[in-house]
Coordinates of all heavy atoms in Angstrom, one line a residue:
M1 N -6.2 11.1 -7.7 CA -7.5 10.4 -7.4 C -7.2 8.9 -7.2 O -7.8 8.3 -6.4 CB -8.4 10.7 -8.6 CG -9.8 10.3 -8.3 SD -11.1 11.2 -9.3 CE -10.9 10.5 -10.9
S2 N -6.3 8.4 -8.0 CA -6.0 6.9 -7.9 C -5.4 6.6 -6.5 O -5.9 5.6 -5.9 CB -5.0 6.5 -9.0 OG -5.6 6.6 -10.3
A3 N -4.5 7.4 -6.1 CA -3.9 7.1 -4.8 C -4.9 7.2 -3.7 O -4.9 6.4 -2.7 CB -2.8 8.1 -4.5
N4 N -5.8 8.2 -3.7 CA -6.9 8.3 -2.7 C -7.8 7.2 -2.8 O -8.3 6.7 -1.7 CB -7.6 9.7 -2.9 CG -6.8 10.8 -2.2 OD1 -6.7 10.9 -1.0 ND2 -6.2 11.6 -3.1
Y5 N -8.2 6.7 -3.9 CA -9.1 5.6 -4.1 C -8.5 4.3 -3.4 O -9.1 3.7 -2.6 CB -9.4 5.3 -5.5 CG -10.2 4.0 -5.7 CD1 -11.6 4.1 -5.5 CD2 -9.7 2.8 -6.2 CE1 -12.4 3.0 -5.7 CE2 -10.4 1.7 -6.3 CZ -11.8 1.8 -6.1 OH -12.6 0.6 -6.3
I6 N -7.2 4.1 -3.7 CA -6.6 2.9 -3.1 C -6.4 3.1 -1.6 O -6.7 2.2 -0.8 CB -5.2 2.6 -3.8 CG1 -5.4 2.3 -5.2 CG2 -4.4 1.5 -3.0 CD1 -4.1 2.2 -6.1
A7 N -5.9 4.2 -1.2 CA -5.7 4.5 0.3 C -7.0 4.3 1.1 O -7.0 3.7 2.1 CB -5.1 5.9 0.5
K8 N -8.1 4.9 0.5 CA -9.4 4.8 1.2 C -9.8 3.3 1.4 O -10.4 2.9 2.4 CB -10.5 5.6 0.4 CG -11.8 5.6 1.1 CD -11.7 6.5 2.3 CE -13.1 6.7 3.0 NZ -13.0 7.3 4.3
N9 N -9.6 2.5 0.4 CA -10.0 1.1 0.4 C -9.0 0.3 1.3 O -9.4 -0.9 1.7 CB -10.0 0.5 -1.0 CG -11.3 0.9 -1.7 OD1 -12.3 0.2 -1.5 ND2 -11.2 1.9 -2.5
L10 N -7.9 0.8 1.7 CA -7.0 0.1 2.5 C -6.9 0.6 3.9 O -6.2 0.0 4.8 CB -5.5 0.1 1.9 CG -5.4 -0.7 0.6 CD1 -4.0 -0.4 0.1 CD2 -5.6 -2.2 0.8
E11 N -7.6 1.7 4.2 CA -7.4 2.3 5.5 C -7.8 1.5 6.7 O -7.3 1.7 7.8 CB -8.1 3.7 5.5 CG -9.6 3.6 5.5 CD -10.3 5.0 5.5 OE1 -9.6 6.0 5.4 OE2 -11.5 5.0 5.5
N12 N -8.7 0.5 6.5 CA -9.1 -0.4 7.6 C -8.1 -1.5 7.8 O -8.2 -2.3 8.8 CB -10.5 -0.9 7.4 CG -11.5 0.2 7.5 OD1 -11.4 1.2 8.3 ND2 -12.6 0.1 6.7
D13 N -7.3 -1.8 6.8 CA -6.3 -2.9 6.9 C -4.9 -2.5 7.1 O -4.1 -3.3 7.6 CB -6.4 -3.7 5.6 CG -7.8 -4.2 5.3 OD1 -8.2 -5.1 6.0 OD2 -8.5 -3.7 4.4
Y14 N -4.5 -1.3 6.8 CA -3.1 -0.8 6.9 C -3.1 0.6 7.5 O -4.0 1.4 7.2 CB -2.5 -0.8 5.6 CG -2.2 -2.1 5.0 CD1 -3.1 -2.7 4.1 CD2 -1.0 -2.8 5.2 CE1 -2.9 -4.0 3.6 CE2 -0.8 -4.1 4.7 CZ -1.7 -4.6 3.9 OH -1.4 -5.9 3.3
K15 N -2.1 0.9 8.2 CA -1.9 2.2 8.7 C -1.3 3.1 7.6 O -0.3 2.7 7.0 CB -0.9 2.2 9.9 CG -0.7 3.6 10.6 CD 0.2 3.5 11.8 CE 0.4 4.8 12.4 NZ 1.4 4.7 13.5
I16 N -2.0 4.2 7.3 CA -1.5 5.1 6.2 C -0.9 6.3 6.9 O -1.5 7.0 7.7 CB -2.7 5.5 5.3 CG1 -3.2 4.2 4.7 CG2 -2.2 6.5 4.3 CD1 -4.5 4.4 3.9
L17 N 0.3 6.6 6.5 CA 1.0 7.7 7.1 C 0.8 9.0 6.3 O 0.6 9.0 5.1 CB 2.5 7.5 7.2 CG 3.0 6.2 8.0 CD1 4.5 6.0 7.9 CD2 2.5 6.3 9.4
Y18 N 0.8 10.1 7.0 CA 0.8 11.5 6.4 C -0.4 11.8 5.5 O -0.3 12.1 4.4 CB 2.1 11.7 5.6 CG 3.4 11.4 6.4 CD1 4.3 10.4 5.9 CD2 3.7 12.1 7.6 CE1 5.4 10.1 6.7 CE2 4.8 11.8 8.3 CZ 5.7 10.8 7.8 OH 6.8 10.5 8.5
T19 N -1.5 11.6 6.1 CA -2.7 12.1 5.4 C -3.0 13.5 5.7 O -2.5 14.0 6.8 CB -4.0 11.2 5.8 OG1 -4.2 11.4 7.2 CG2 -3.8 9.8 5.4
G20 N -3.7 14.2 4.9 CA -4.0 15.6 5.1 C -5.1 15.8 6.1 O -5.6 14.9 6.6
Q21 N -5.5 17.0 6.2 CA -6.5 17.4 7.2 C -7.8 16.7 7.0 O -8.5 16.4 7.9 CB -6.7 18.9 7.1 CG -7.5 19.5 8.2 CD -7.5 21.0 8.2 OE1 -7.1 21.6 7.2 NE2 -7.9 21.7 9.2
N22 N -8.2 16.4 5.7 CA -9.4 15.7 5.4 C -9.2 14.2 5.1 O -10.1 13.6 4.6 CB -10.1 16.4 4.2 CG -10.5 17.8 4.4 OD1 -11.0 18.1 5.5 ND2 -10.3 18.7 3.5
G23 N -8.1 13.7 5.5 CA -7.8 12.3 5.4 C -7.3 11.9 4.0 O -7.3 10.7 3.6
R24 N -7.0 12.9 3.2 CA -6.6 12.6 1.8 C -5.1 12.5 1.7 O -4.3 13.0 2.6 CB -7.0 13.8 0.9 CG -8.5 14.0 0.9 CD -9.1 13.2 -0.3 NE -10.5 13.6 -0.4 CZ -11.5 12.7 -0.7 NH1 -11.2 11.5 -0.9 NH2 -12.7 13.1 -0.8
V25 N -4.6 11.9 0.6 CA -3.2 11.8 0.3 C -2.9 12.5 -1.0 O -3.8 12.9 -1.7 CB -2.8 10.3 0.2 CG1 -3.0 9.6 1.5 CG2 -3.5 9.5 -0.9
A26 N -1.7 12.6 -1.3 CA -1.3 13.3 -2.6 C -1.3 12.3 -3.7 O -2.2 11.4 -3.7 CB 0.1 13.9 -2.4
H27 N -0.4 12.3 -4.6 CA -0.4 11.4 -5.7 C 0.3 10.1 -5.3 O 0.3 9.1 -6.1 CB 0.4 12.0 -6.9 CG 1.9 12.2 -6.6 ND1 2.3 13.2 -5.8 CD2 2.9 11.5 -7.0 CE1 3.7 13.1 -5.7 NE2 4.0 12.1 -6.4
E28 N 0.7 10.0 -4.1 CA 1.3 8.8 -3.5 C 0.9 8.7 -2.1 O 0.5 9.7 -1.5 CB 2.8 8.8 -3.7 CG 3.4 9.9 -2.9 CD 4.9 10.2 -3.2 OE1 5.4 9.8 -4.3 OE2 5.6 10.8 -2.4
F29 N 1.1 7.5 -1.5 CA 0.9 7.4 0.0 C 1.8 6.3 0.5 O 2.3 5.5 -0.2 CB -0.6 7.1 0.3 CG -1.1 5.8 -0.3 CD1 -1.2 4.7 0.5 CD2 -1.6 5.8 -1.6 CE1 -1.7 3.5 0.0 CE2 -2.1 4.6 -2.1 CZ -2.1 3.4 -1.3
I30 N 1.9 6.4 1.9 CA 2.8 5.5 2.5 C 2.1 4.5 3.5 O 1.3 5.0 4.3 CB 3.9 6.3 3.3 CG1 4.7 7.2 2.3 CG2 4.8 5.4 4.1 CD1 5.6 8.2 3.0
L31 N 2.3 3.2 3.3 CA 1.7 2.2 4.2 C 2.8 1.9 5.2 O 3.9 1.5 4.9 CB 1.3 1.0 3.4 CG 0.2 1.1 2.4 CD1 0.0 -0.2 1.7 CD2 -1.1 1.6 3.1
D32 N 2.5 2.0 6.5 CA 3.4 1.7 7.6 C 3.3 0.2 7.9 O 2.3 -0.4 8.2 CB 2.9 2.4 8.8 CG 3.9 2.3 10.0 OD1 4.8 1.5 9.9 OD2 3.7 3.1 11.0
M33 N 4.4 -0.5 7.7 CA 4.5 -1.9 7.9 C 5.2 -2.3 9.1 O 5.5 -3.5 9.4 CB 5.3 -2.6 6.7 CG 4.6 -2.3 5.3 SD 3.0 -3.1 5.3 CE 2.3 -2.3 3.8
R34 N 5.6 -1.4 10.0 CA 6.4 -1.7 11.2 C 5.7 -2.6 12.2 O 6.4 -3.4 12.8 CB 6.9 -0.4 11.8 CG 7.9 0.4 10.9 CD 8.2 1.7 11.4 NE 7.1 2.6 11.2 CZ 7.2 4.0 11.4 NH1 8.3 4.5 11.7 NH2 6.1 4.7 11.2
D35 N 4.4 -2.5 12.3 CA 3.7 -3.3 13.2 C 3.7 -4.8 12.8 O 3.7 -5.7 13.7 CB 2.2 -2.9 13.4 CG 2.1 -1.6 14.1 OD1 3.0 -1.2 14.9 OD2 1.0 -0.9 14.0
F36 N 3.8 -5.1 11.5 CA 3.9 -6.5 11.1 C 5.2 -7.1 11.5 O 5.3 -8.2 11.9 CB 3.9 -6.5 9.5 CG 2.5 -6.2 9.0 CD1 2.3 -5.0 8.4 CD2 1.5 -7.1 9.0 CE1 1.1 -4.6 7.8 CE2 0.2 -6.7 8.5 CZ 0.0 -5.5 7.9
K37 N 6.3 -6.3 11.5 CA 7.6 -6.8 12.0 C 7.5 -7.1 13.5 O 8.0 -8.2 13.9 CB 8.7 -5.7 11.8 CG 10.0 -6.0 12.3 CD 10.7 -7.0 11.5 CE 12.2 -7.2 11.9 NZ 12.8 -8.4 11.4
K38 N 6.8 -6.3 14.3 CA 6.7 -6.5 15.7 C 5.8 -7.7 16.0 O 6.2 -8.5 16.9 CB 6.1 -5.3 16.4 CG 7.0 -4.1 16.4 CD 6.3 -2.9 17.0 CE 7.0 -1.6 16.7 NZ 6.2 -0.4 17.1
S39 N 4.7 -7.9 15.3 CA 3.7 -8.9 15.7 C 4.0 -10.2 15.0 O 3.6 -11.3 15.5 CB 2.3 -8.4 15.4 OG 2.2 -8.2 14.0
A40 N 4.5 -10.2 13.8 CA 4.6 -11.5 13.0 C 6.0 -11.7 12.4 O 6.2 -12.7 11.6 CB 3.6 -11.5 11.9
D41 N 7.0 -10.8 12.7 CA 8.3 -10.9 12.1 C 8.2 -10.9 10.5 O 9.0 -11.6 9.8 CB 9.1 -12.1 12.6 CG 10.6 -11.9 12.4 OD1 11.1 -10.8 12.4 OD2 11.3 -13.0 12.2
V42 N 7.3 -10.1 10.0 CA 7.1 -9.9 8.6 C 7.6 -8.5 8.2 O 7.1 -7.6 8.8 CB 5.6 -10.2 8.1 CG1 5.4 -9.8 6.7 CG2 5.2 -11.6 8.4
T43 N 8.5 -8.4 7.3 CA 9.0 -7.1 6.9 C 8.3 -6.5 5.7 O 7.6 -7.2 5.0 CB 10.5 -7.1 6.6 OG1 10.7 -7.9 5.4 CG2 11.3 -7.8 7.8
E44 N 8.6 -5.2 5.5 CA 8.1 -4.5 4.3 C 8.6 -5.2 3.0 O 7.9 -5.3 2.0 CB 8.4 -3.0 4.3 CG 9.8 -2.7 4.2 CD 10.6 -2.9 5.5 OE1 10.1 -3.3 6.5 OE2 11.9 -2.6 5.5
T45 N 9.8 -5.7 3.1 CA 10.4 -6.4 1.9 C 9.6 -7.7 1.7 O 9.3 -8.1 0.5 CB 11.9 -6.7 2.2 OG1 12.5 -5.5 2.4 CG2 12.5 -7.4 1.0
D46 N 9.2 -8.4 2.7 CA 8.4 -9.6 2.5 C 7.1 -9.3 1.8 O 6.7 -10.1 1.0 CB 8.1 -10.3 3.9 CG 9.4 -10.8 4.6 OD1 10.3 -11.2 4.0 OD2 9.3 -10.7 5.9
I47 N 6.5 -8.2 2.2 CA 5.2 -7.9 1.6 C 5.4 -7.4 0.2 O 4.6 -7.8 -0.7 CB 4.5 -6.8 2.5 CG1 4.2 -7.4 3.9 CG2 3.3 -6.2 1.8 CD1 3.7 -6.4 4.9
A48 N 6.4 -6.7 -0.1 CA 6.7 -6.3 -1.5 C 7.0 -7.5 -2.4 O 6.5 -7.5 -3.5 CB 8.0 -5.3 -1.5
K49 N 7.7 -8.5 -1.8 CA 8.0 -9.7 -2.6 C 6.7 -10.4 -2.8 O 6.5 -11.0 -3.9 CB 9.0 -10.6 -1.9 CG 10.4 -10.0 -2.0 CD 11.3 -10.9 -1.2 CE 12.8 -10.4 -1.3 NZ 13.7 -11.3 -0.6
R50 N 5.8 -10.5 -1.9 CA 4.5 -11.2 -2.0 C 3.7 -10.5 -3.1 O 3.0 -11.2 -3.8 CB 3.8 -11.2 -0.7 CG 2.6 -12.1 -0.7 CD 2.9 -13.6 -0.8 NE 1.7 -14.3 -0.7 CZ 1.2 -15.1 -1.7 NH1 1.9 -15.1 -2.9 NH2 0.1 -15.7 -1.6
L51 N 3.7 -9.2 -3.1 CA 3.0 -8.5 -4.2 C 3.4 -8.9 -5.6 O 2.6 -9.0 -6.5 CB 3.1 -7.0 -4.1 CG 2.2 -6.3 -3.1 CD1 2.7 -4.8 -2.8 CD2 0.8 -6.3 -3.6
M52 N 4.7 -9.2 -5.7 CA 5.2 -9.7 -7.0 C 4.6 -11.1 -7.3 O 4.4 -11.4 -8.5 CB 6.7 -9.8 -7.0 CG 7.4 -8.4 -7.0 SD 9.2 -8.4 -7.3 CE 9.8 -9.4 -5.9
D53 N 4.3 -11.9 -6.3 CA 3.6 -13.2 -6.6 C 2.2 -13.0 -7.1 O 1.7 -13.8 -7.8 CB 3.5 -14.0 -5.3 CG 4.8 -14.5 -4.7 OD1 5.8 -14.6 -5.5 OD2 4.9 -14.7 -3.5
Y54 N 1.6 -11.8 -6.9 CA 0.3 -11.4 -7.4 C 0.4 -10.7 -8.8 O -0.6 -10.3 -9.3 CB -0.5 -10.6 -6.4 CG -1.1 -11.3 -5.3 CD1 -0.4 -11.5 -4.1 CD2 -2.4 -11.8 -5.4 CE1 -0.9 -12.2 -3.0 CE2 -2.9 -12.5 -4.3 CZ -2.2 -12.7 -3.1 OH -2.8 -13.3 -2.1
G55 N 1.6 -10.6 -9.3 CA 1.8 -10.0 -10.6 C 2.0 -8.5 -10.6 O 1.9 -7.8 -11.6
F56 N 2.3 -7.9 -9.4 CA 2.6 -6.5 -9.3 C 4.0 -6.2 -9.1 O 4.7 -6.9 -8.4 CB 1.8 -5.9 -8.1 CG 0.3 -5.9 -8.3 CD1 -0.4 -6.9 -7.6 CD2 -0.3 -5.1 -9.1 CE1 -1.8 -7.0 -7.8 CE2 -1.7 -5.1 -9.3 CZ -2.4 -6.1 -8.7
H57 N 4.5 -5.1 -9.7 CA 5.8 -4.6 -9.5 C 6.0 -4.2 -8.0 O 5.0 -3.5 -7.5 CB 6.1 -3.5 -10.4 CG 7.6 -3.0 -10.4 ND1 8.1 -2.2 -9.5 CD2 8.6 -3.3 -11.3 CE1 9.3 -2.0 -9.7 NE2 9.7 -2.7 -10.8
A58 N 7.0 -4.5 -7.4 CA 7.2 -4.2 -6.0 C 7.2 -2.6 -5.8 O 7.9 -2.0 -6.6 CB 8.5 -4.8 -5.4
P59 N 6.5 -2.1 -4.9 CA 6.6 -0.7 -4.6 C 7.9 -0.2 -4.0 O 8.7 -1.1 -3.6 CB 5.4 -0.4 -3.7 CG 5.2 -1.7 -3.0 CD 5.6 -2.8 -3.9
T60 N 8.1 1.0 -3.8 CA 9.2 1.6 -3.2 C 9.2 1.1 -1.7 O 8.2 1.2 -1.0 CB 9.2 3.1 -3.2 OG1 9.2 3.5 -4.6 CG2 10.5 3.7 -2.5
V61 N 10.3 0.6 -1.3 CA 10.4 0.0 0.1 C 11.3 0.9 1.0 O 12.4 1.3 0.6 CB 11.1 -1.4 0.0 CG1 11.3 -2.0 1.4 CG2 10.2 -2.3 -0.9
S62 N 10.8 1.2 2.2 CA 11.5 1.9 3.2 C 12.0 3.3 2.8 O 13.0 3.8 3.3 CB 12.7 1.1 3.7 OG 12.2 0.0 4.4
F63 N 11.3 3.9 1.9 CA 11.6 5.3 1.6 C 10.3 6.0 1.4 O 9.4 5.5 0.7 CB 12.4 5.4 0.3 CG 12.7 6.8 -0.1 CD1 13.8 7.5 0.5 CD2 11.9 7.5 -1.0 CE1 14.1 8.8 0.1 CE2 12.2 8.8 -1.3 CZ 13.2 9.5 -0.7
P64 N 10.1 7.1 2.0 CA 11.0 7.9 2.8 C 11.0 7.5 4.3 O 11.7 8.1 5.1 CB 10.5 9.4 2.6 CG 9.1 9.2 2.5 CD 8.9 7.9 1.7
V65 N 10.2 6.5 4.6 CA 10.1 6.1 6.0 C 10.6 4.6 6.1 O 10.1 3.8 5.4 CB 8.6 6.2 6.5 CG1 8.5 5.6 7.9 CG2 8.1 7.6 6.4
P66 N 11.5 4.4 7.0 CA 12.0 3.0 7.2 C 10.8 2.1 7.6 O 10.0 2.5 8.4 CB 13.0 3.1 8.3 CG 13.5 4.5 8.2 CD 12.3 5.3 7.8
G67 N 10.7 0.9 7.1 CA 9.6 0.0 7.4 C 8.3 0.3 6.8 O 7.3 -0.1 7.3
S68 N 8.4 0.9 5.6 CA 7.1 1.3 4.9 C 7.2 0.9 3.5 O 8.2 0.5 2.9 CB 6.9 2.8 5.0 OG 7.8 3.5 4.3
L69 N 6.0 1.0 2.8 CA 5.9 0.8 1.4 C 5.3 2.1 0.8 O 4.3 2.6 1.4 CB 4.9 -0.3 1.0 CG 5.3 -1.7 1.4 CD1 4.2 -2.7 1.0 CD2 6.6 -2.1 0.7
M70 N 5.9 2.7 -0.2 CA 5.3 3.9 -0.8 C 4.6 3.4 -2.1 O 5.1 2.8 -3.0 CB 6.4 4.9 -1.2 CG 5.8 6.2 -1.8 SD 6.9 7.5 -2.0 CE 8.1 6.9 -3.1
I71 N 3.3 3.7 -2.1 CA 2.4 3.3 -3.2 C 2.2 4.6 -4.1 O 1.7 5.6 -3.6 CB 1.1 2.8 -2.7 CG1 1.3 1.7 -1.6 CG2 0.2 2.3 -3.9 CD1 2.0 0.5 -2.1
E72 N 2.5 4.5 -5.4 CA 2.3 5.6 -6.3 C 1.7 5.1 -7.6 O 2.4 4.9 -8.6 CB 3.7 6.2 -6.5 CG 3.7 7.5 -7.3 CD 5.1 8.2 -7.4 OE1 6.1 7.6 -6.9 OE2 5.1 9.3 -7.9
P73 N 0.4 5.0 -7.6 CA -0.3 4.6 -8.8 C -0.3 5.7 -9.9 O -0.3 6.9 -9.5 CB -1.7 4.2 -8.4 CG -1.9 5.1 -7.2 CD -0.6 5.3 -6.5
T74 N -0.3 5.3 -11.1 CA -0.5 6.3 -12.2 C -1.9 6.7 -12.3 O -2.8 5.9 -11.9 CB 0.0 5.8 -13.5 OG1 -0.9 4.7 -13.9 CG2 1.4 5.3 -13.5
E75 N -2.2 7.9 -12.7 CA -3.6 8.3 -12.9 C -4.3 7.6 -14.0 O -5.5 7.6 -14.1 CB -3.6 9.8 -13.1 CG -3.3 10.6 -11.8 CD -4.1 10.3 -10.6 OE1 -5.4 10.1 -10.7 OE2 -3.6 10.1 -9.5
S76 N -3.5 7.0 -14.9 CA -4.2 6.3 -16.0 C -4.5 4.8 -15.6 O -5.0 4.1 -16.4 CB -3.2 6.3 -17.2 OG -2.0 5.6 -16.9
E77 N -4.2 4.4 -14.4 CA -4.5 3.0 -14.0 C -6.0 2.8 -13.9 O -6.7 3.7 -13.4 CB -3.9 2.8 -12.6 CG -3.6 1.4 -12.2 CD -2.5 0.8 -13.1 OE1 -1.4 1.2 -13.0 OE2 -2.9 -0.2 -13.8
D78 N -6.4 1.8 -14.5 CA -7.9 1.6 -14.5 C -8.4 1.0 -13.2 O -7.6 0.4 -12.4 CB -8.4 0.8 -15.7 CG -7.9 -0.7 -15.8 OD1 -7.6 -1.3 -14.7 OD2 -7.8 -1.2 -16.9
K79 N -9.7 1.1 -13.0 CA -10.3 0.7 -11.7 C -10.1 -0.8 -11.5 O -9.9 -1.2 -10.3 CB -11.7 1.1 -11.7 CG -12.4 0.8 -10.3 CD -13.8 1.3 -10.3 CE -14.5 1.0 -9.0 NZ -14.6 -0.4 -8.6
V80 N -10.2 -1.6 -12.5 CA -10.1 -3.0 -12.4 C -8.7 -3.4 -11.8 O -8.6 -4.2 -10.9 CB -10.4 -3.7 -13.7 CG1 -10.0 -5.2 -13.6 CG2 -11.8 -3.5 -14.2
E81 N -7.7 -2.8 -12.3 CA -6.3 -3.1 -11.9 C -6.1 -2.5 -10.5 O -5.5 -3.2 -9.6 CB -5.3 -2.5 -12.8 CG -3.9 -2.9 -12.6 CD -3.7 -4.4 -12.9 OE1 -4.6 -5.1 -13.4 OE2 -2.6 -4.9 -12.7
M82 N -6.7 -1.4 -10.1 CA -6.6 -0.9 -8.8 C -7.3 -1.8 -7.8 O -6.8 -2.1 -6.7 CB -7.1 0.6 -8.7 CG -6.2 1.6 -9.3 SD -6.7 3.3 -9.0 CE -8.2 3.4 -9.9
D83 N -8.4 -2.3 -8.2 CA -9.2 -3.2 -7.3 C -8.4 -4.5 -7.1 O -8.4 -5.1 -6.0 CB -10.6 -3.5 -7.9 CG -11.5 -2.3 -7.7 OD1 -11.2 -1.4 -6.9 OD2 -12.5 -2.2 -8.5
R84 N -7.8 -4.9 -8.2 CA -6.9 -6.2 -8.1 C -5.8 -5.9 -7.1 O -5.5 -6.8 -6.3 CB -6.5 -6.6 -9.5 CG -6.0 -8.0 -9.6 CD -5.7 -8.3 -11.0 NE -4.5 -7.8 -11.5 CZ -3.2 -8.2 -11.3 NH1 -3.1 -9.3 -10.5 NH2 -2.2 -7.7 -11.8
F85 N -5.2 -4.8 -7.2 CA -4.1 -4.4 -6.3 C -4.6 -4.3 -4.8 O -3.9 -4.9 -3.9 CB -3.5 -3.1 -6.7 CG -2.3 -2.6 -5.9 CD1 -1.1 -3.3 -6.0 CD2 -2.4 -1.6 -5.0 CE1 0.0 -2.8 -5.2 CE2 -1.3 -1.2 -4.2 CZ -0.1 -1.8 -4.3
I86 N -5.7 -3.7 -4.6 CA -6.3 -3.6 -3.3 C -6.6 -5.0 -2.7 O -6.3 -5.3 -1.6 CB -7.6 -2.7 -3.3 CG1 -7.2 -1.3 -3.6 CG2 -8.4 -2.9 -2.0 CD1 -8.4 -0.5 -4.1
D87 N -7.2 -5.8 -3.5 CA -7.5 -7.2 -3.1 C -6.2 -8.0 -2.7 O -6.2 -8.7 -1.7 CB -8.2 -7.9 -4.2 CG -8.7 -9.3 -3.8 OD1 -9.4 -9.4 -2.8 OD2 -8.2 -10.3 -4.5
A88 N -5.2 -7.8 -3.5 CA -3.9 -8.5 -3.2 C -3.4 -8.0 -1.9 O -3.0 -8.9 -1.0 CB -2.9 -8.2 -4.3
L89 N -3.4 -6.7 -1.6 CA -2.9 -6.3 -0.3 C -3.7 -6.7 0.8 O -3.3 -7.0 1.9 CB -2.8 -4.7 -0.3 CG -1.5 -4.2 -0.9 CD1 -1.6 -2.7 -1.1 CD2 -0.3 -4.6 -0.1
K90 N -5.0 -6.8 0.6 CA -5.9 -7.3 1.7 C -5.7 -8.8 1.9 O -5.7 -9.3 3.1 CB -7.4 -7.1 1.3 CG -7.8 -5.6 1.5 CD -9.2 -5.4 1.2 CE -9.6 -3.9 1.4 NZ -11.0 -3.7 1.7
R91 N -5.4 -9.6 0.9 CA -5.1 -11.0 1.1 C -3.8 -11.2 1.8 O -3.7 -12.1 2.6 CB -5.1 -11.7 -0.3 CG -6.5 -11.9 -0.9 CD -6.4 -12.4 -2.3 NE -7.7 -12.5 -2.9 CZ -8.3 -13.7 -3.1 NH1 -7.8 -14.8 -2.7 NH2 -9.5 -13.7 -3.7
I92 N -2.8 -10.4 1.4 CA -1.5 -10.5 2.1 C -1.7 -10.1 3.6 O -1.1 -10.8 4.4 CB -0.5 -9.5 1.4 CG1 -0.2 -10.0 0.0 CG2 0.7 -9.3 2.3 CD1 0.6 -9.0 -0.8
R93 N -2.5 -9.2 3.9 CA -2.8 -8.8 5.3 C -3.3 -10.0 6.1 O -2.9 -10.3 7.2 CB -3.8 -7.7 5.3 CG -4.3 -7.3 6.7 CD -3.3 -6.4 7.4 NE -3.9 -5.9 8.6 CZ -3.4 -6.1 9.8 NH1 -2.3 -6.8 9.9 NH2 -3.9 -5.6 10.9

């Protein structure tokens, strides 16, 4: 549920890879960062490091897809913290 909440809130700002038939993700999801490299020379590592500036642990970088971030929130993550994470990614965008 946490992964789907975050993915849904980011779908207009980031390309989400491998959604199911109904647009849902599993317990994790992958944000495609390859377009940032093409358009602004910003890599997935740059974005992961920027998330650390917002106080978040960097997500998995370039696995299983090169040029991506894998986001895997815990189900015990509270809504306030998920909203803070969403806001950080939107600001980075």
Side-chain angles (χ1 to χ4, degrees):
M1 197 156 70
S2 296
N4 279 290
Y5 176 77
I6 295 170
K8 185 68 176 168
N9 279 279
L10 292 175
E11 70 184 1
N12 293 326
D13 299 289
Y14 291 91
K15 183 177 178 183
I16 299 171
L17 300 178
Y18 308 119
T19 59
Q21 195 171 11
N22 296 319
R24 302 267 188 217
V25 298
H27 67 284
E28 63 192 20
F29 62 97
I30 299 170
L31 296 177
D32 188 350
M33 302 295 168
R34 293 174 286 193
D35 288 340
F36 293 104
K37 176 73 173 166
K38 293 176 192 171
S39 65
D41 200 30
V42 172
T43 68
E44 66 283 0
T45 302
D46 296 327
I47 295 169
K49 287 179 180 180
R50 187 70 177 115
L51 276 170
M52 291 190 301
D53 293 338
Y54 282 91
F56 294 101
H57 188 278
T60 302
V61 176
S62 290
F63 179 84
V65 177
S68 69
L69 296 178
M70 184 170 59
I71 310 297
E72 189 173 6
T74 63
E75 290 304 317
S76 61
E77 203 67 64
D78 66 26
K79 185 176 179 300
V80 171
E81 193 67 3
M82 288 190 290
D83 288 340
R84 197 172 75 80
F85 182 73
I86 293 163
D87 183 60
L89 278 169
K90 287 183 176 203
R91 287 174 183 255
I92 290 167
R93 172 84 170 118

